[in-house]
Amino acid sequence: MDEAHLRARISEYREAFKINWPHPELSFATKANSTLGVLRIASEEGCHLDVASEGEFRAALLAGADPSLCHLHGNNKSRSEIEFALTNKIGKIVLDHFGEIDMISSLWKKEYATKLVIRLAPGVDPVTHAKISTGQSDTKFGFNITDGSGERALQKCLGLNLPIIGFHCHVGSQLLDPSAQEAGGALIAEFARQMEQLHGYRTQYLNVGGGLGVRYTDADVPMDILDYNRLVTTAVRNAMGRDDFTLGQEPGRSLVAESGVTLYTVGVVKSVPTSTGTRTYVAVDGGLADNPRPALYGSPYTVERAGSVSANHGQFTVSGRHCETDRLFENIALPNDLAEGDILQVLCTGAYNSSMASNYNRYPRPPVVLLSNGGDVRLIARRDSYDEMFARETA
Ligand code: LLP
């Protein structure tokens, strides 16, 4: 992880948001990378933290974050998770279903300072991988606007005297075209305006989620952060007819992905016959367990040999070491003289890699190293040890 890159990226987003909105609230979606060292940097850069579980909230606390600057998401939060959040003075909880409203109401004590936000499903279907699209009506997240659930949720919270401050949506992830976020923002702002007309409820807070895409390969052309902020804030302002309230955004990937590089060591290089010729496999000392994204979403990456350059390239398929087909990167160009011991660097792995890693096949998860601002190198997560891998089990 490159600290200078991460800090620069956060400050670029923060400044772009500040230029476009009078009361901006920038959060970092910690699911993208919840390594404590990364959370500490995000907090130091002034980010609030979006946590999606008690575990992510605990990580934020361990990283030194102010709990009042954290907010808790989750479509199926447990009673104990909510209790932990409330007693540890979390800033906001984002409500996802009617049962959760009852649960919070039954746990509520008047000394709690936590504010509540209603998650809406605005009915927007973004252009992205189906598995990371969340704003459409057919989603497990939040209250639908279209079937009246959002309005009923607000009425229920008001009836129970709960401290509702506003509304939230997140329409999807790795979005290279901003129209879904613009539409989502406009729809929840329009909804908030209607709630004022119908129920006299004046919104103090809207959050339009995250979702801005990043450059995994040259085929991905993400929007400029300033342009993106201008479009999204304009959509919200126009639909709401005012901008005297706090607007939140909670990007994950676009803040942290490009700060990360994964280094693999090349092991066996092997050619096999195929129906059309040969395929050359390059096996590396990692795979599905440290980066499940190619297997889950078919995500492409930019892969290079570190160090020495070569003019002559051939076609290779990089595979992991797991007992699966585990093709990480299929038919990519790499130097012809690629050999055992070479280092491959995979770019743009700072988001949804370490946070989605597992111990599949009982491989220890790799360490995370921070190239710090001053140029020195710091281990922010060491490699798993076998002792800790087995510590919670008995034979
Ligand atoms: N807010 C909410 C409520 C979210 O659900 C998400 C992502 C974000 C913010 C941050 O979205 P971002 O800015 O990172 O796009 N594992 C998948 C991504 C799942 C995203 C889930 N929610 C992947 O590796 O592509």
Side-chain angles (χ1 to χ4, degrees), residues 82 86 90-95 100-101 104-105 108 113-119 157 161-167 201 205:
I82 291 177
L86 289 171
I90 199 158
K92 303 183 203 65
I93 294 180
V94 184
L95 303 171
E100 192 181 344
I101 300 177
I104 289 198
S105 165
W108 195 261
T114 302
K115 303 291 184 220
L116 304 175
V117 178
I118 292 176
R119 168 123 183 210
C157 290
N161 263 327
L162 291 172
I164 285 289
I165 56 167
F167 307 99
Y201 173 76
Y205 178 82

Side-chain angles (χ1 to χ4, degrees), residues 29 31-32 50 73 119 132 168 170 172-174 209-212 250-254 293 297 352 356:
K31 71 204 79 180
D50 149 11
H73 274 290
R119 168 123 183 210
I132 51 177
H168 182 288
H170 169 77
S173 205
Q174 181 54 12
L212 179 61
E250 50 189 29
R253 188 187 323 258
S254 57
R293 302 194 69 261
Y297 318 116
Y352 303 113
M356 292 175 76

Side-chain angles (χ1 to χ4, degrees), residues 17 21 23-27 48-50 69-73 91-94 115-118 120 163-169 188-189 192 201-209 236 240 242 244-250:
F17 196 7
W21 197 264
H23 308 285
E25 181 192 285
L26 178 64
S27 301
H48 290 220
L49 297 180
D50 149 11
L69 304 183
C70 297
H71 60 276
L72 178 67
H73 274 290
K92 303 183 203 65
I93 294 180
V94 184
K115 303 291 184 220
L116 304 175
V117 178
I118 292 176
L120 296 169
I164 285 289
I165 56 167
F167 307 99
H168 182 288
C169 76
I188 66 166
Y201 173 76
R202 191 158 170 93
T203 295
Q204 307 158 44
Y205 178 82
L206 288 182
N207 189 319
V208 293
V236 172
M240 193 77 163
R242 60 185 175 96
D244 58 347
F245 57 93
T246 301
L247 182 63
Q249 289 191 69
E250 50 189 29

Side-chain angles (χ1 to χ4, degrees), residues 363-379:
Y363 280 114
R365 286 167 303 172
V368 183
V369 172
L370 185 76
L371 176 62
S372 81
N373 261 351
D376 57 324
V377 165
R378 207 157 66 80
L379 192 63

